[in-house]
Amino acid sequence: MKKESSPKRVQSPELGENEGKYVELHGWVHDIRILGKLTFLIIGDPYGYYQAVLKGELAKKGSSIPRQSYVILRGNVVKSVSKINPYEVQVNYIEIVNEADTVLPLDPASKVQSELMTRINNRPLDLRDSEERKIFLMRADVLHIIRDFLTQNGFVEVDTPKIIATASEGGAELFKVDYFGKPAYLAQSPQLYKEELVLALGKVFEIAHYFRAEKSNTVKHLNEFTSVDIESAMMGKFDVMKILEELIKHIYSSLKAKGYQVNELKGNFPIYTYEQVCDSTGVNFGEDLSSEVLNEFGKDKEFYFIIDWPLSLKPFYTMPKGEKLSESFDLMYKGLELASGGQRIHKYDLLVERLKANNLNPESFAEHLKVYRWGMPVHSGWGLGFDRLMMVLTGRNNIREVVLYPRDSRHLAP
Amino acid sequence: MKKESSPKRVQSPELGENEGKYVELHGWVHDIRILGKLTFLIIGDPYGYYQAVLKGELAKKGSSIPRQSYVILRGNVVKSVSKINPYEVQVNYIEIVNEADTVLPLDPASKVQSELMTRINNRPLDLRDSEERKIFLMRADVLHIIRDFLTQNGFVEVDTPKIIATASEGGAELFKVDYFGKPAYLAQSPQLYKEELVLALGKVFEIAHYFRAEKSNTVKHLNEFTSVDIESAMMGKFDVMKILEELIKHIYSSLKAKGYQVNELKGNFPIYTYEQVCDSTGVNFGEDLSSEVLNEFGKDKEFYFIIDWPLSLKPFYTMPKGEKLSESFDLMYKGLELASGGQRIHKYDLLVERLKANNLNPESFAEHLKVYRWGMPVHSGWGLGFDRLMMVLTGRNNIREVVLYPRDSRHLAP
């Protein structure tokens, strides 16, 4: 690619350390200003913006480049009088790699944000706005922080199939796949696999896309979403709640250390029982807590847990607590459910009983049930809705803002 | 879970540092030996094995525990006379968490390995064999090494949809999904999305499961597989080949540093052109290189590249090199294709022309093509078959050995 005579290629943040040098840069034309015989190009690259100054014939050439076109520039780096960019490039060579259309679906240089749907339908262009790009840089950073934290805490990363033969959670709606003529489904969670794997691996985690075929279009649901799942042998509900709380706090402090604008979380996450929430909101025992109820209950709270849900509201694998309750919890942020977990059943007979109580056929779960005959340990775990966590971390109110190419019942493309 | 009176819980590798102390351990009964009035339990946990010594009533209780049952033990850690384990536990408390069946589908303690299909059908139990477990601990380590390497090299991790509306690679067979009554497919690769994202993010990578509906059952193909994909703006074929070669070498040296038994890779990976391979094996120009040809050509080689494939053998987005060749490469190990990549087309008109030349309808690719009107940079990338890399790293000959729950046309469960 690079000819031997090319000068050193640098990126926007490296201008300062190359003052006085002749360098090559590449990027897109973010904005153009013409002042007398000079053309000033504001060039964007994935790491920032800088100003390129063009004189004479080059000024003429530069002034007619369509915005967002991709260019290669060569020139000398000098101190700038601009307050925004302390350095600029005095260009003596410009090459247009690819010209952009003159009419674009959105303008990343505009201070007025386009409609969300326009932005999502043109996501790569939307990401040329550094504010939008920052969401996905943060997303990558948070995923890295989570993997490091869980690995350092002894969890082994696993990857389990996304094409499955049986519904893992029982009830919820599944996408159907034609698997060589056999009916199959897309996984809603790694629930059964991660439980099976604690048998020998002890502590496991998985981060992947999962699929739910629910047609409702809300600001907090997608049909394809990212989940962070853990499962651990010989832990109870409070043990895995502690790991989750420490993880969330670690994410905040790590992001702060990386220069992101997030608050530091202080104190322990409060714990409320389901029955306390019912008492405080007037909900009858056994009823699910609606968005309205949770928004009301959570309006003056940040992160908190709701524990000991009615057994009838939790999936079949949840460990009962007495007759009517379960060893379960949800992690909430204000009115938004972020994570859900608890202790699981580890005894074969009880698991069969709970499958039947949920009107599920134990024969459909034979491949899973057999593992409970091989010395299954006590175990607990949780699943964290990663896209929802990103909503909280970025302060965005629509889950589509934090997912590159969101999937809902109306959007299968781009 | 843990009662306040419980002693400190330790894992098998921590016995030495707890010599003389009263501790709690948990694990499965790997093997049982009875010597006079003593029962010796070999206990396994995810991190190793240790010996537990039971006397009197406990010896009697211990001698009848079915193998693979999960137990909690308490006792004193003492030096052992055993050559294998320098420490052992003198047990004064044993609790059976979950009893295993007395007849098991395979015996992880046996020195004779069960049939591969038996092991896969009973994977959690198979993983109680530390040799099998090691493959998946290595798999997790390699994924972590790859993410760290790419992140440190400026690549941003992205996650793109697995349910898609259009075939991304054109030809190959796709799994069909019913998406709310609309036809949809499972992604074969993140190809189009990763190309689009270099527009603003510059350098991206994704590690995820992908899906190919090919019915052939071979030792090197699965219908659901893990791929490591990168794409970078302003790089050519040789630039991304260099990143791939450095990554592979970094994986080997990192694994060696972690104590895994792998060779160090020396020297540069040799580069052969497709035409050189043809000349050496008697294949006519334009023909694909069969497994037989590649096995013959690669039999005395380790890692090497084959570059400049005929345009007709590569997907529509591949940058042409002259009339008949392409700016493409495959990374090979002996006769096995591990990765495939090259420079991509960045010009709208040429991309439309190549779609047509491949009998694909540009209208089906409208959502992708539009991005090429927004100043698309020159770009290159590759996709690395991660499961195949794990075959090479572990020396296993069947891809099913290195995937927890493999999916092929005959296996949709467990």
Side-chain angles (χ1 to χ4, degrees):
Chain A
M1 286 297 302
K2 217 196 227 174
K3 294 174 199 85
E4 287 210 332
S5 58
S6 299
K8 184 184 159 197
R9 189 190 283 176
V10 302
Q11 293 163 343
S12 58
E14 299 165 335
L15 283 186
E17 64 204 63
N18 285 286
E19 193 194 336
K21 290 187 190 147
Y22 185 67
V23 300
E24 179 173 297
L25 293 121
H26 53 84
W28 56 86
V29 178
H30 185 70
D31 212 348
I32 302 177
R33 284 175 220 145
I34 298 162
L35 277 174
K37 290 183 175 173
L38 296 178
T39 296
F40 297 90
L41 300 182
I42 311 301
I43 305 288
D45 72 10
Y47 318 102
Y49 299 98
Y50 58 92
Q51 180 164 278
V53 188
L54 284 68
K55 295 178 191 170
E57 277 304 305
L58 287 182
K60 209 171 154 186
K61 183 175 178 186
S63 67
S64 65
I65 300 175
R67 282 170 181 75
Q68 300 303 324
S69 297
Y70 208 90
V71 295
I72 296 174
L73 301 168
R74 290 179 197 158
N76 286 307
V77 182
V78 298
K79 275 229 164 84
S80 164
V81 293
S82 147
K83 282 171 195 163
I84 307 162
N85 297 301
Y87 300 94
E88 63 186 24
V89 182
Q90 290 182 321
V91 174
N92 74 353
Y93 171 88
I94 184 164
E95 180 187 330
I96 302 170
V97 175
N98 228 341
E99 243 184 50
D101 275 1
T102 47
V103 179
L104 294 170
L106 60 86
D107 178 8
S110 164
K111 284 185 180 73
V112 185
Q113 208 179 41
S114 302
E115 290 272 331
L116 178 59
M117 276 310 131
T118 304
R119 290 171 39 225
I120 289 170
N121 286 332
N122 301 282
R123 184 65 98 186
L125 190 58
D126 181 44
L127 294 179
R128 282 201 171 161
D129 176 343
S130 61
E131 282 305 305
E132 297 313 314
R133 199 159 63 237
K134 207 190 284 176
I135 291 177
F136 297 97
L137 300 180
M138 190 202 246
R139 189 178 164 102
D141 280 336
V142 177
L143 281 173
H144 209 93
I145 291 164
I146 293 174
R147 283 194 161 89
D148 279 350
F149 177 91
L150 292 174
T151 303
Q152 277 158 26
N153 280 274
F155 287 83
V156 178
E157 185 160 10
V158 296
D159 57 304
T160 64
K162 304 298 165 270
I163 304 184
I164 54 168
T166 322
S168 41
E169 304 274 335
E173 287 172 27
L174 295 160
F175 286 113
K176 276 185 197 163
V177 183
D178 175 2
Y179 197 78
F180 303 111
K182 281 174 270 183
Y185 306 95
L186 293 181
Q188 306 159 280
S189 83
Q191 183 64 34
L192 306 191
Y193 290 113
K194 68 177 180 166
E195 286 192 69
E196 294 174 12
L197 289 169
V198 301
L199 191 90
L201 294 173
K203 295 160 91 173
V204 298
F205 77 99
E206 179 161 12
I207 304 178
H209 280 204
Y210 296 95
F211 311 89
R212 288 187 196 204
E214 280 158 31
K215 212 168 178 175
S216 66
N217 270 302
T218 80
V219 292
K220 57 184 184 178
H221 291 91
L222 287 176
N223 296 105
E224 178 171 349
F225 59 96
T226 299
S227 178
V228 178
D229 278 88
I230 77 160
E231 199 71 26
S232 174
M234 300 313 279
M235 283 196 185
K237 174 180 68 182
F238 289 115
D239 298 318
V240 291
M241 282 166 64
K242 188 169 170 239
I243 290 171
L244 181 53
E245 179 168 344
E246 283 173 2
L247 171 62
I248 300 285
K249 287 176 178 168
H250 179 73
I251 291 168
Y252 273 77
S253 60
S254 302
L255 286 177
K256 206 178 162 72
K258 278 177 180 283
Y260 287 100
Q261 290 192 319
V262 291
N263 299 322
E264 208 157 336
L265 298 180
K266 283 168 196 162
N268 296 329
F269 294 177
I271 299 175
Y272 305 93
T273 64
Y274 166 85
E275 286 174 287
Q276 283 173 326
V277 180
C278 287
D279 288 349
S280 139
T281 56
V283 170
N284 293 322
F285 182 89
E287 281 177 28
D288 208 349
L289 305 178
S290 66
S291 287
E292 292 69 33
V293 165
L294 289 170
N295 282 334
E296 174 60 24
F297 184 77
K299 69 175 186 291
D300 52 358
K301 299 176 180 68
E302 294 197 283
F303 291 101
Y304 62 98
F305 288 106
I306 302 175
I307 64 168
D308 297 352
W309 291 72
L311 193 53
S312 59
L313 292 179
K314 289 290 176 185
F316 71 87
Y317 48 77
T318 310
M319 179 65 89
K321 180 181 178 173
E323 284 284 301
K324 291 185 169 177
L325 298 179
S326 67
E327 297 286 4
S328 58
F329 66 86
D330 282 6
L331 175 68
M332 307 292 303
Y333 179 86
K334 297 186 174 170
L336 187 67
E337 182 201 326
L338 290 183
S340 172
Q343 188 177 335
R344 328 299 193 175
I345 294 167
H346 61 282
K347 294 281 189 185
Y348 181 93
D349 292 342
L350 181 56
L351 195 52
V352 169
E353 185 189 313
R354 293 298 309 152
L355 277 167
K356 287 179 184 165
N358 281 274
N359 295 315
L360 294 165
N361 184 355
E363 278 170 36
S364 307
F365 291 82
E367 287 291 337
H368 180 58
L369 282 167
K370 70 183 185 188
V371 181
Y372 290 76
R373 294 193 177 280
W374 302 337
M376 180 63 99
V378 170
H379 59 284
S380 297
W382 42 255
L384 167 67
F386 180 71
D387 308 314
R388 289 188 177 185
L389 177 65
M390 286 306 303
M391 289 171 71
V392 173
L393 290 169
T394 58
R396 302 278 176 136
N397 294 318
N398 191 323
I399 197 166
R400 291 161 187 77
E401 298 259 10
V402 300
V403 172
L404 282 169
Y405 295 94
R407 287 287 172 267
D408 60 37
S409 62
R410 292 177 209 145
H411 291 90
L412 181 54
Chain B
M1 286 298 302
K2 214 196 227 177
K3 293 174 201 88
E4 287 210 333
S5 61
S6 298
K8 184 184 160 198
R9 189 191 283 176
V10 301
Q11 293 164 342
S12 59
E14 299 165 336
L15 284 185
E17 63 204 65
N18 284 286
E19 192 194 337
K21 289 189 188 144
Y22 184 65
V23 299
E24 180 173 297
L25 293 122
H26 54 83
W28 56 85
V29 178
H30 186 69
D31 212 349
I32 301 177
R33 285 176 220 144
I34 298 163
L35 277 175
K37 289 184 174 172
L38 296 178
T39 296
F40 297 91
L41 299 182
I42 310 300
I43 306 289
D45 73 10
Y47 318 101
Y49 300 98
Y50 57 91
Q51 180 163 280
V53 188
L54 284 69
K55 296 177 190 172
E57 275 304 305
L58 287 182
K60 210 172 153 187
K61 183 176 177 184
S63 67
S64 65
I65 300 174
R67 281 171 180 75
Q68 300 302 325
S69 297
Y70 208 90
V71 295
I72 296 175
L73 302 168
R74 290 179 197 158
N76 287 305
V77 181
V78 298
K79 276 227 164 84
S80 163
V81 292
S82 148
K83 281 172 197 164
I84 308 161
N85 297 300
Y87 300 94
E88 64 186 23
V89 182
Q90 290 183 324
V91 174
N92 74 353
Y93 171 88
I94 184 163
E95 180 187 329
I96 302 169
V97 174
N98 228 342
E99 239 182 54
D101 275 1
T102 46
V103 179
L104 294 169
L106 61 86
D107 178 8
S110 164
K111 284 186 180 72
V112 185
Q113 207 180 41
S114 302
E115 290 272 330
L116 178 59
M117 276 308 132
T118 305
R119 289 171 40 223
I120 288 170
N121 286 332
N122 301 283
R123 184 65 98 185
L125 189 58
D126 181 44
L127 295 179
R128 282 200 170 162
D129 176 343
S130 61
E131 282 304 305
E132 297 312 314
R133 200 158 63 237
K134 208 191 282 175
I135 290 178
F136 297 96
L137 300 180
M138 191 202 246
R139 188 177 164 103
D141 280 336
V142 177
L143 281 173
H144 210 93
I145 291 165
I146 293 174
R147 283 194 162 90
D148 280 350
F149 177 90
L150 292 174
T151 303
Q152 277 158 26
N153 280 275
F155 287 83
V156 178
E157 185 161 9
V158 296
D159 57 304
T160 65
K162 303 298 165 270
I163 304 183
I164 55 167
T166 322
S168 41
E169 304 274 337
E173 288 172 28
L174 295 161
F175 285 113
K176 276 186 195 163
V177 182
D178 175 1
Y179 197 77
F180 303 111
K182 280 174 273 185
Y185 306 96
L186 293 182
Q188 304 158 279
S189 83
Q191 184 63 35
L192 307 191
Y193 290 113
K194 68 176 180 167
E195 285 192 71
E196 294 174 12
L197 290 169
V198 301
L199 191 90
L201 295 173
K203 295 160 91 172
V204 298
F205 77 99
E206 179 161 12
I207 304 178
H209 281 204
Y210 296 95
F211 310 90
R212 288 187 197 203
E214 279 158 32
K215 211 167 178 177
S216 66
N217 271 302
T218 80
V219 293
K220 59 184 183 177
H221 291 91
L222 288 176
N223 296 106
E224 178 172 349
F225 59 95
T226 299
S227 177
V228 178
D229 277 87
I230 77 159
E231 199 70 25
S232 174
M234 300 314 280
M235 283 195 185
K237 175 180 67 182
F238 288 115
D239 298 317
V240 292
M241 282 166 63
K242 188 169 170 237
I243 290 170
L244 181 53
E245 179 168 344
E246 283 173 2
L247 172 62
I248 300 284
K249 287 176 177 170
H250 179 72
I251 291 168
Y252 272 78
S253 60
S254 301
L255 286 177
K256 206 177 163 72
K258 279 176 180 280
Y260 287 100
Q261 290 193 319
V262 291
N263 299 324
E264 208 156 334
L265 298 181
K266 283 168 196 161
N268 295 329
F269 294 177
I271 298 174
Y272 305 92
T273 64
Y274 166 85
E275 288 174 286
Q276 283 173 326
V277 180
C278 288
D279 288 348
S280 138
T281 56
V283 170
N284 294 322
F285 182 90
E287 280 178 28
D288 209 349
L289 304 179
S290 66
S291 287
E292 292 68 33
V293 165
L294 289 170
N295 282 333
E296 174 60 24
F297 184 77
K299 69 175 187 291
D300 53 357
K301 300 176 179 69
E302 293 198 281
F303 291 100
Y304 61 97
F305 288 105
I306 302 175
I307 64 169
D308 297 352
W309 291 71
L311 193 54
S312 58
L313 292 179
K314 289 291 175 183
F316 70 87
Y317 48 77
T318 310
M319 179 65 88
K321 179 181 180 173
E323 285 285 301
K324 290 185 169 178
L325 298 178
S326 67
E327 298 285 3
S328 57
F329 66 86
D330 281 7
L331 174 67
M332 307 291 303
Y333 179 85
K334 297 184 178 175
L336 187 68
E337 182 200 325
L338 290 182
S340 172
Q343 188 177 335
R344 328 298 193 176
I345 293 167
H346 60 283
K347 294 280 188 186
Y348 182 93
D349 292 342
L350 181 55
L351 195 52
V352 170
E353 186 188 314
R354 293 298 309 153
L355 278 166
K356 287 179 184 164
N358 281 273
N359 294 314
L360 294 165
N361 184 355
E363 279 171 34
S364 308
F365 291 82
E367 287 291 336
H368 180 59
L369 282 167
K370 70 184 184 187
V371 181
Y372 290 75
R373 294 194 177 280
W374 302 338
M376 181 61 100
V378 170
H379 59 283
S380 297
W382 43 254
L384 167 67
F386 180 71
D387 307 315
R388 290 188 175 183
L389 177 65
M390 287 306 303
M391 289 171 70
V392 173
L393 290 169
T394 58
R396 302 278 175 136
N397 293 319
N398 191 323
I399 197 166
R400 291 160 187 77
E401 299 258 11
V402 300
V403 172
L404 282 169
Y405 295 93
R407 286 286 172 269
D408 60 36
S409 62
R410 291 177 208 146
H411 292 90
L412 181 54

